[in-house]
Each structure stands twice: as C-alpha cells, then as structure tokens.
C-alpha cells in the first residue's frame, strides 16, 4: 500500500548537477503502468538524495541495495520538472517536505514518464562518491512505481534534461525540418515549446515566496456574529419577485388545520423566542390532528416498513392516500388521550397486535388481490437498518458495550490539519479493537461529509439531509462490505473465540453455537454439515463471517 525505495550506487561522473527519475512501463503492470495501482497511477511523495564517501557496498556502478540508512549528508534540491504533471500533483510537490502531496501522472497512464531534480549546488565527485536515492511513496492505495530507472548528469540547464521522448511529437517533427524550410505553424510550435521551458527554468530560479501577515482591529462584524435585536420584517413577494414586496407576513402556521388558529397570538410579536414558543404550542396542541396522525404513522412505518400513509414526510394532498384511514384516526386519538403521548405504550400496542404477529408466509389467493401487501394480509419481510445490523453483530459476538449515555465516540481516524481546510477522516486507520468500536451505534459520531463505508453500504441515509423514509436495497456491495469490512472481519474473529472457548473440543458444537448466537435458531442437519466442512477447511473465523453474512441475519422474518 505504501513503500519507500532506497537505491544506493557508486557515482562515476566527476560532477553532478541533476538527477532524473524515470517511471517505466512493463507488461506485468496494470495498464502497462508505470504504477502498481489498478489504474496505473503513481504518487512520489518525496524524493531525497544523500551523498557520502564511497563504501564497499557500492563498488558496482549498476548495483542497488535495500537499506534504511542513507550514506552521507542530504543534498539540497533546488527545483523539479517533469514531462507531465497530474492536476494538483506536480513534480515540485515531491520536494516540498510534505508527504501529503507528491508527483502523479494520471490520466496519462500506459506510458513512461520522467522527472528531473536540479541540485542547488553541484556535487564534486573526483574521488568517487556513494549516492543514496530515497523515493518515499506514502500516498497509500498502492500508488507505487512499478519499474524505475535513475540517472545523473553534469549539464546545467534543468529544462533541457528531459529526454527527447518527453518532447511533444509536433516539436520533434518541426526539429527534423531545416530552419529555413519550416512552416509558420512549425515555427510557432518550436517557439512556444522553448518559451515554456524558459519560463519553467526562470520560475524554478525564483526565491521562495515571502508571507506577510497583516492585523487590523477596526472592521465590520459578520452578520452572523451580530444578530439583529428583533426579527427583520418579511414580506409576501408578488410573483416571487424580491423587488416587489407586498404586505408583511405575520407569525403563523398552516391554515388547513380547521381546529386551530393559523395566526399566533403573541404578547411580544417582535421577540424571536415568543415566535418559536408560539410555533411549538401550535405543533403540540391537542387539537392539532396533523401532529398526532404523523407520529403514529411514523411508528407504524418503522415496524412494518411502510406507513398507513406511505409518505411519512407528507400527510397532505400531495402525499399518499391512507390504506386504513379509520385505523390511523383511532391510533392518533388513542395515542393522545389514552397513552398520554407515551411512545413506549404506542410501540407496545403495535408489536402485540395480531397484524404485527402475522407470519411472512405467502398466500397465492391474497397475493392476486394485493400483490404489494398494502393491506397487510401477511407480515412484511423487513431488513434491519444499518445501525441495527452493526449492533446485532456486537450482540452476537458478545463485545457490545452496554454503557448508557456519555459523549459520542469517533469510529474513524480524525485529523484536523487546518481550520480552513476540510478535516481528514479516515475509516481505514480506525482501530476496530478500540473501546469506541464496541459502543452501540446510537453513540457514534456521524461525520456528515465523510460517511462510514459500512453504514453507507447498508443504506444509512445522508446525515446532512432529513430522511423520512430510508432506502432499502439489496446489492452486491452490501455483501462485499459485510464480508470484507475491517469491523466485520474482527467481529467474526471475536465470535469464533467466543464459541471456541465455550466448546473447545467439538467443532460441530462451535458451529451450532455461532449459528444460534447469530440467527436465533439451531442449524439444520444439512446446514451444520456444510458449515463444519467449511470450518475444517477454512477455520472458525471465516465460518463466522459466512454466518454473519446470511440474509437471515439482516432480515426480520
């Protein structure tokens, strides 16, 4: 995934002014390379050069050796140019002492590339010299150079050190024509190329840019830091045009609820807190049938996979029609009057009902009349949501931390490098054996711009938007995540340890225990025999991975 190439060789030139690194193609590399990554790209994070007295390990000019101890002192590098720079990943970034940047060549893969590094001061090598070249490739994701070649030169012009292969074909064609016979287009191509090389050379010779920090204490505060003392007036806009304000809009709510006034009676109408309190009282009013219907419909949706109104975020004219309108009204009134607004009592009422306790078994006659099961003649087979899948894994393996409350936990590696740049969130660097990994999913901190790959694969919604109804999909990506995610692999090992310790001498008993812990039932004879054969060949941990990846584990029957 990451690597550092260290190559040591004996210098044969009397003077060295620059080094050329070539990333070469090869038939064994993806897309011919020059990188080992599946898209053929490379990322050279940092290039360093060390020079010291000749030693016995570098007597052969062509010899290379692997070492982590460079010989001699570091050599200062003034500039770097390449035949091609990926956007945002230039050769100059491979000498900026920042391993987060580097030289890349995408999308020009499948072809050789080269970069020339010009030294600040020439190296004198009259008495022989040992050169140590260090190629740090720390970007990750396998962006490693698959085949490389190094060379040195005594020439002084860095722009001219690129090989002829790096020169555009149009320039090569123009050079093949005598100067007096070149067309205006060829002359233009040559002049443009020379100007680019000269510009690169002059830019490389410029001193580092200086930074100036200015401070001033007299400025207008941001609007968000200085809120208005009273809410600004809002007007109804004629045809939505901000330049045509109409009458002032007063605090109020929907007028389609006939039992409530749509305008709030406020003692202090220009006070923001009074307006908010007025809206809260309107929403929670006992006469607001919209609120009570919405709550019971959402609870019904969570238990059956679809609400009595199948648009839980819209109970209006644009939403769906209720399949059981009388039931919806009865539940709303019961929840308000008899249950006193207790969600626990509402859940108990639903899960102890005859409709909830139905089997998922099919009935061909009913299916012909109601194939979508809108009227609930059987129970819907629903999949656990992402958080419940993760908690079910922790429960089966016996590693769940049942501590209630407390601050949220980070189940990712967090690195806040700069307040002006989006922080770095890396789920692959998170230690899945850390205490944070065993907390219930309700306590995990959600990073909205970088979702957890496992949760995202299991249809966990985007935390930056309101989601009334989650998507429920069945994809190959979910199976791959359940099989290969680091959390799942480690939890499979925990489950294997749990059943092995419980039944140390019987593989059949271990398989049966793992099966029952995960699926809540003992395996059939055929299931047991197949899993025992698999465990004998591939081990108990891999067998647990298979069990945790069963459809039966993530679906509620």
């Amino acid at each position: 995934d990451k690597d550092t190439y260290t190559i040591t060789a004996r210098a044969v030139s009397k003077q060295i002014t620059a080094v050329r690194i070539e990333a070469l193609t090869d038939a064994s590399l993806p897309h011919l390379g020059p990188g080992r990554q599946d898209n053929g790209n490379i990322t050279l994070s940092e290039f360093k050069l060390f020079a010291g007295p000749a030693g016995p390990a570098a007597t052969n000019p062509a010899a290379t050796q692997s070492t982590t101890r460079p010989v001699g002192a570091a050599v200062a590098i003034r500039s770097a140019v390449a035949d091609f720079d990926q956007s945002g990943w230039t050769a100059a970034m491979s000498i900026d002492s920042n391993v987060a940047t580097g030289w890349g060549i995408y999308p020009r893969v499948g072809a050789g590339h080269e970069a020339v590094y010009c030294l600040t001061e020439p190296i004198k090598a009259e008495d022989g010299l040992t050169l140590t070249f260090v190629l740090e490739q720390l970007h990750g994701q396998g962006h490693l150079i698959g085949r490389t070649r190094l060379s040195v030169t005594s020439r002084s012009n860095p722009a001219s050190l690129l090989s002829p292969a790096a020169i555009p074909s149009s320039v090569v064609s123009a050079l093949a024509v005598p100067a007096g016979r070149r067309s205006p287009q060829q002359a233009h191509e040559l002049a443009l190329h020379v100007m680019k090389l000269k510009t690169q050379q002059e830019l490389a010779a410029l001193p580092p840019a200086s930074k100036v920090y200015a401070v001033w204490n007299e400025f207008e505060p941001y609007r968000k830091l200085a809120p208005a003392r009273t809410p600004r007036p809002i007007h109804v806009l004629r045809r939505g045009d901000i330049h045509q304000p109409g009458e002032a809009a007063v605090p109020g709510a929907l007028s389609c609820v006939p039992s409530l006034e749509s305008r709030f009676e406020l003692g202090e109408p220009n006070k923001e807190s009074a307006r908010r309190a007025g809206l809260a009282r309107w929403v929670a009013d006992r006469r607001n049938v919209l609120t009570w219907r919405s709550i019971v419909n959402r609870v019904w949706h969570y238990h059956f996979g679809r609400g009595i109104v199948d648009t839980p975020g819209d109970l209006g004219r644009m939403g769906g029609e209720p399949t059981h309108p009388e039931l919806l009204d009865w539940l709303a009134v019961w929840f308000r009057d008899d249950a006193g607004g207790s969600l626990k009592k509402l859940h108990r009422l639903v899960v102890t009902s005859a409709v909830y306790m139905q089997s998922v078994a099919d009935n061909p006659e009913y299916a012909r009349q109601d194939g979508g099961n809108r009227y609930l003649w059987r129970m819907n087979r629903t999949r656990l949501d992402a958080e419940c899948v993760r908690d079910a894994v922790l429960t089966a393996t016996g590693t769940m931390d049942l501590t209630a409350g407390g601050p949220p936990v980070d189940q990712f590696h967090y690195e806040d490098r700069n307040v002006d740049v989006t922080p770095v969130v890396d789920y692959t660097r998170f230690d899945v054996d850390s205490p944070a990994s065993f907390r219930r999913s309700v306590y995990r901190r959600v990073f909205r711009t970088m979702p957890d790959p496992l949760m995202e694969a299991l249809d966990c919604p985007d935390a930056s938007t309101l989601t009334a109804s989650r998507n429920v999909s069945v994809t190959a990506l979910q199976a791959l995540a359940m099989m290969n995610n680091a959390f799942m692999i480690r939890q499979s090992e925990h489950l294997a340890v749990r059943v092995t310790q419980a039944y140390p001498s019987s593989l059949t008993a271990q398989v049966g225990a793992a099966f029952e812990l995960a699926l809540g039932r003992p395996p059939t004879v055929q299931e047991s025999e197949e899993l025992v054969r698999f465990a004998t060949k591939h081990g108990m941990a891999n067998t647990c991975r298979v069990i945790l990846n069963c459809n039966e584990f993530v679906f509620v029957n």
Side-chain angles (χ1 to χ4, degrees), residues 125-206:
E126 289 83 356
D127 299 326
L129 200 67
T130 294
L131 300 177
T132 303
F133 309 88
V134 179
L135 283 67
E136 296 181 353
Q137 299 162 88
L138 307 178
H139 177 69
Q141 304 176 16
H143 283 214
L144 307 177
I145 299 175
R147 183 173 171 225
T148 189
R149 178 167 57 199
L150 301 177
S151 54
V152 298
T153 185
S154 60
R155 297 176 65 179
S156 59
N157 183 0
S160 67
L161 297 175
L162 293 174
S163 66
I167 302 175
S169 58
S170 59
V171 175
V172 174
S173 300
L175 288 173
V177 178
R181 298 171 58 186
R182 290 173 188 155
S183 67
Q185 178 65 26
Q186 291 174 325
H188 175 76
E189 290 282 351
L190 283 174
L192 182 61
H193 184 67
V194 170
M195 183 58 67
K196 286 182 178 179
L197 296 179
K198 183 179 179 182
T199 302
Q200 291 174 354
Q201 182 178 6
E202 292 176 351
L203 287 175
L206 292 175

Side-chain angles (χ1 to χ4, degrees), residues 1-20:
D1 189 44
K2 302 177 182 179
D3 205 353
T4 296
Y5 299 168
T6 303
I7 302 172
T8 303
R10 176 79 174 272
V12 295
S13 176
K14 296 298 182 182
Q15 177 174 279
I16 298 173
T17 58
V19 176
R20 181 171 65 200

